[in-house]
């Protein structure tokens, strides 16, 4: 049954007015703590946002996507070495965690925690949407959520009961596009054509290309959605945040 639900899953951006009880939310978060993590240090935290005013503070950092204000719950999952470092200090231990290696471990931990929560939430009939804007605008999120040093927001998930009608599922590349047996086999031109053929032929994507006055779907991604200029700008901004939060010197 779980595998069937996972095959049918879709990103939910519109939610009904039905609230999520504290009891259910805490149950799902507790289940998520069973996720694998680095050295059983659990280098993550999550900030739960329910209040209207706090959602309004967060919304601009997420480019005012409507689900930030409309979802009953907004969860900000953070890479967090702060708690462990404080514990170590109180137990006469000195943690050398103000470095990129620890940050990457904390990123992995926080994402495993987040995804385990999302699978559990969907099993209970909730819908979720990951917001990729979290690392774009980490600085204002840090300010809005009062995150201390050694804590950095990694991803945000909006959660709620889906509103009708449900959205269509997004397309996915065929499994062969991602799977490499024994060693990595680089992609030939014919393989790329084959793997992306169905995606490029979808009516919605053909319309997408036309609406953006581009020649190919790839150009929409590189020239409109994820430009080199923006990628470099947000990279620089996030590196500043890592230095500000003491993960980089």
């Amino acid at each position: 049954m779980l595998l069937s639900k996972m095959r049918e899953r879709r990103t939910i951006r519109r939610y009904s007015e039905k609230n999520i009880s504290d009891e259910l939310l805490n149950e799902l978060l507790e289940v998520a703590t069973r996720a694998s993590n680095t050295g059983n240090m659990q280098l993550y935290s999550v900030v739960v946002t329910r209040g209207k005013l706090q959602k309004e503070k967060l919304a601009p950092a997420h480019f005012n996507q409507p689900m930030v204000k409309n979802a009953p719950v907004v969860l900000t999952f953070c890479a967090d070495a702060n708690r462990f470092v404080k514990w170590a200090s109180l137990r006469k231990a000195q943690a050398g965690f103000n470095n990129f290696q620890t940050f990457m471990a904390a990123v992995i931990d926080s994402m495993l925690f987040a995804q385990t929560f999302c699978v559990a939430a969907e099993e209970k009939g909730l819908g979720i949407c990951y917001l990729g804007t979290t690392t774009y605008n980490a600085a204002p999120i840090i300010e809005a959520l009062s995150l201390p040093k050694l804590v950095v927001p990694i991803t945000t998930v909006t959660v709620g009961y889906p509103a009708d009608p449900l959205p269509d599922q997004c397309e996915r590349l065929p499994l062969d596009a991602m799977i490499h047996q024994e060693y990595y086999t680089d992609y030939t031109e014919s393989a790329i054509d084959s793997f992306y053929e169905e995606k490029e032929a979808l009516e919605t994507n053909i319309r997408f290309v036309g609406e953006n006055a581009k020649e190919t779907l790839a150009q929409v991604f590189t020239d409109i959605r994820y430009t080199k200029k923006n990628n470099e700008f947000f990279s620089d901004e996030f590196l500043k945040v890592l230095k500000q939060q003491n993960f980089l010197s």
Side-chain angles (χ1 to χ4, degrees):
M1 184 65 176
L2 177 58
L3 285 179
S4 176
K5 283 188 177 181
M6 292 176 73
R7 284 193 182 97
E8 296 171 1
R9 78 156 304 278
R10 59 206 70 204
T11 295
I12 302 298
R13 295 179 173 86
R14 294 177 57 252
Y15 305 99
S16 74
E17 295 182 359
K18 184 178 179 181
N19 199 17
I20 302 172
S21 69
D22 288 337
E23 181 181 19
L24 175 58
L25 183 63
N26 287 336
E27 178 187 7
L28 297 172
L29 289 169
E30 184 176 7
V31 166
T33 66
R34 305 312 304 174
S36 299
N37 67 90
T38 305
N40 201 26
M41 294 184 288
Q42 293 181 272
L43 300 174
Y44 56 75
S45 285
V46 58
V47 179
V48 179
T49 301
R50 287 185 180 270
K52 179 181 178 181
L53 291 179
Q54 195 65 355
K55 289 176 186 175
E56 289 176 351
K57 286 183 182 178
L58 287 173
H62 297 292
F63 302 137
N64 291 308
Q65 295 178 83
M67 52 275 200
V68 176
K69 293 182 181 179
N70 296 339
V73 176
V74 178
L75 301 175
T76 306
F77 292 89
C78 303
D80 183 356
N82 173 59
R83 180 181 60 251
F84 192 97
V85 167
K86 281 186 165 59
W87 173 64
S89 178
L90 290 169
R91 298 298 184 269
K92 302 178 182 179
Q94 185 173 355
F97 282 5
N98 55 335
N99 48 66
F100 188 64
Q101 173 59 39
T102 302
F103 172 70
M104 287 305 301
V107 168
I108 293 168
D109 284 6
S110 61
M111 288 305 302
L112 289 169
F113 178 54
Q115 182 59 16
T116 303
F117 168 85
C118 288
V119 172
E122 290 174 333
E123 172 65 12
K124 286 290 189 177
L126 293 165
I128 66 96
C129 179
Y130 274 101
L131 304 184
T133 44
T134 306
T135 54
Y136 289 2
N137 293 309
I141 295 173
I142 288 169
E143 182 177 359
L145 301 181
S146 301
L147 303 183
K149 303 296 184 184
L150 293 179
V151 181
V152 172
I154 299 302
T155 193
T156 301
V157 176
T158 58
V159 192
Y161 290 95
D164 291 327
L166 291 176
D168 294 333
Q169 276 190 307
C170 290
E171 81 278 357
R172 293 290 190 263
L173 295 176
L175 188 61
D176 285 349
M178 278 74 70
I179 303 302
H180 301 260
Q181 300 292 349
E182 307 298 342
Y183 55 86
Y184 191 102
T185 303
D186 206 355
Y187 300 100
T188 63
E189 182 177 338
S190 61
I192 293 294
D193 289 341
S194 173
F195 292 147
Y196 284 88
E197 180 179 15
E198 186 175 345
K199 184 184 188 79
E200 292 173 326
L202 288 174
E203 183 59 38
T204 53
N205 285 337
I206 292 173
R207 186 169 62 250
F208 197 31
V209 173
E211 289 171 349
N212 286 280
K214 291 297 175 181
E215 183 181 355
T216 68
L217 182 62
Q219 289 174 351
V220 177
F221 281 87
T222 61
D223 300 355
I224 305 293
R225 299 188 67 185
Y226 304 103
T227 67
K228 179 177 179 0
K229 179 180 178 181
N230 283 345
N231 286 338
E232 291 177 347
F233 173 79
F234 289 119
S235 292
D236 289 342
E237 291 300 301
F238 196 57
L239 286 171
K240 290 176 187 175
V241 164
L242 295 189
K243 292 176 182 178
Q244 168 194 308
Q245 297 302 96
N246 287 358
F247 274 114
L248 291 179
S249 57

